[in-house]
Amino acid sequence: MTDFFISYTQADRGWAEWIAWVLEAAGFTAKIQAWDFGAGSHFISEMHKAAAEAERTIAVLSPEYLSSHFGQMEWAAALAQKKELLPIRVREVEVTGLLAGIVYTDLSA
């Protein structure tokens, strides 16, 4: 079991890697596409496995993330599996819909 699955888009890869680095430095385990999905792996299978095996999902919120089909599937899967969803806003974006009801950490300021 992994402590955290980090859900992000390529536009926020730097933020996602920094979050993973901070978590791993604190002794947690983190699954992140940039580090853990090897060349030639099946992206959707890897995402499914990572999300299913994680205790919590971190959603790296940005305009690109909120318009991403895969991002939406990843945070929705966390909610459907009744896992803890921890949104972290890294750039200015209005959070609406179901995500608006979840308190997020704001690093965009």
Side-chain angles (χ1 to χ4, degrees), residues 40-62:
S41 64
H42 187 266
F43 172 76
I44 295 187
S45 295
E46 291 291 333
M47 294 303 256
H48 173 75
K49 181 179 174 187
E53 293 177 353
E55 291 184 33
R56 300 165 203 87
T57 295
I58 291 176
V60 181
L61 301 180
S62 68

Side-chain angles (χ1 to χ4, degrees), residues 1-8 16-17 19-21 23-24 28-38 41 43 45-60 74:
M1 187 63 77
T2 304
D3 294 313
F4 295 94
F5 167 58
I6 302 176
S7 174
Y8 67 99
E17 289 178 329
I19 291 166
W21 179 82
L23 290 170
E24 290 187 351
F28 295 100
T29 56
K31 186 71 82 166
I32 177 172
Q33 177 189 352
W35 298 348
D36 299 308
F37 299 2
S41 64
F43 172 76
S45 295
E46 291 291 333
M47 294 303 256
H48 173 75
K49 181 179 174 187
E53 293 177 353
E55 291 184 33
R56 300 165 203 87
T57 295
I58 291 176
V60 181
E74 291 162 16

